[in-house]
Amino acid sequence: GENVEQHPSTLSVQEGDSAVIKCTYSDSASNYFPWYKQELGKGPQLIIDIRSNVGEKKDQRIAVTLNKTAKHFSLHITETQPEDSAVYFCAALDDYKLSFGAGTTVTVRA
Amino acid sequence: DVKVTQSSRYLVKRTGEKVFLECVQDMDHENMFWYRQDPGLGLRLIYFSYDVKMKEKGDIPEGYSVSREKKERFSLILESASTNQTSMYLCASSLRARYGYTFGSGTRLTVV
């Protein structure tokens, strides 16, 4: 089955700086890569996703890049704000199922 | 707005009890999933269903079963709760294969 590894496990950034989270996956058949943000007491919410026929996607301050050859994808958050503090999960989809990384706890320092 | 609703936010049960966790979605989605979330382990798939009355084992099905009698409802059953099943349980649904998920808010289950 699919194995997704996510790094780092914790990330502390100064407000206004950028944050980068990296993930690798094992199954070359995976073709959809979403990122979820989980705030305290809530379920994960989709923030951005990318399919295997695209190399990069951007939505305001967040962007995702995908390197299918190397089987890795990354989340970039620019101009971080306090409300970006949360746990972020990457995932890879093969057929029906998403396999998730272990999560990154992002703390934005004011 | 699309919704996945989990019946309880917090639940405390005794060891050996039979526990039912309920999940309902209002989006007419085909697929439904149960994950458990533990610190440092991320989200691990317990069971999923791609159609009414259909179910498939995920990565950690031991000690759990599921029921999907109607398209909108997917239940997770702990036949005999144990302390190692203390966790956050997340339900999710997706329109069909290769689509993203919508998650519920989670049920934090404590088994004592």
Side-chain angles (χ1 to χ4, degrees):
Chain A
E2 177 65 273
N3 181 41
V4 179
E5 294 192 358
Q6 181 172 347
H7 300 281
S9 57
T10 60
L11 183 60
S12 179
V13 295
Q14 190 70 37
E15 183 178 356
D17 287 351
S18 295
V20 180
I21 303 170
K22 298 183 179 183
C23 289
T24 60
Y25 62 98
S26 60
D27 189 347
S28 56
S30 293
N31 53 21
Y32 174 68
F33 306 91
W35 286 87
Y36 287 84
K37 176 183 180 182
Q38 186 177 27
E39 296 173 330
L40 206 59
K42 297 183 178 180
Q45 284 199 301
L46 179 70
I47 55 171
I48 195 167
D49 56 12
I50 191 166
R51 294 194 183 271
S52 57
N53 57 348
V54 176
E56 185 174 353
K57 185 176 177 182
K58 192 172 180 181
D59 182 5
Q60 298 183 339
R61 296 186 299 105
I62 59 174
V64 59
T65 58
L66 171 65
N67 183 328
K68 283 219 74 178
T69 304
K71 288 192 274 189
H72 66 71
F73 56 113
S74 301
L75 178 72
H76 303 252
I77 307 172
T78 58
E79 299 172 20
T80 52
Q81 300 170 4
E83 54 265 36
D84 295 328
S85 294
V87 180
Y88 292 81
F89 292 97
C90 63
L93 181 73
D94 181 17
D95 288 331
Y96 297 95
K97 304 175 296 176
L98 277 176
S99 295
F100 287 84
T104 297
T105 301
V106 174
T107 304
V108 180
R109 307 187 307 272
Chain B
D1 201 11
V2 296
K3 265 202 170 152
V4 176
T5 303
Q6 295 184 230
S7 54
S8 304
R9 290 299 303 275
Y10 300 95
L11 216 48
V12 180
K13 295 292 181 181
R14 294 196 180 279
T15 301
E17 274 193 78
K18 190 168 186 175
V19 181
F20 293 85
L21 302 183
E22 306 287 345
C23 176
V24 177
Q25 51 97 0
D26 64 359
M27 300 164 282
D28 201 33
H29 281 179
E30 292 180 358
N31 305 316
M32 296 189 75
F33 309 83
W34 276 106
Y35 284 83
R36 65 177 280 177
Q37 181 178 10
D38 300 288
L41 297 177
L43 282 68
R44 294 179 292 166
L45 181 63
I46 306 171
Y47 267 96
F48 67 102
S49 168
Y50 52 88
D51 201 354
V52 176
K53 297 192 187 295
M54 304 300 290
K55 59 184 180 183
E56 293 281 345
K57 292 180 179 179
D59 300 319
I60 52 164
E62 296 78 21
Y64 303 95
S65 62
V66 289
S67 172
R68 192 168 183 200
E69 296 295 319
K70 293 185 178 181
K71 190 176 185 179
E72 67 270 18
R73 186 179 295 271
F74 192 35
S75 303
L76 180 69
I77 303 156
L78 286 66
E79 296 291 340
S80 178
S82 63
T83 55
N84 62 13
Q85 293 178 310
T86 291
S87 186
M88 169 71 84
Y89 290 88
L90 289 163
C91 176
S93 70
S94 71
L95 180 61
R96 59 180 67 93
R98 301 191 177 88
Y99 276 67
Y101 293 4
T102 300
F103 280 90
S105 296
T107 296
R108 185 164 293 283
L109 172 67
T110 301
V111 182
V112 298

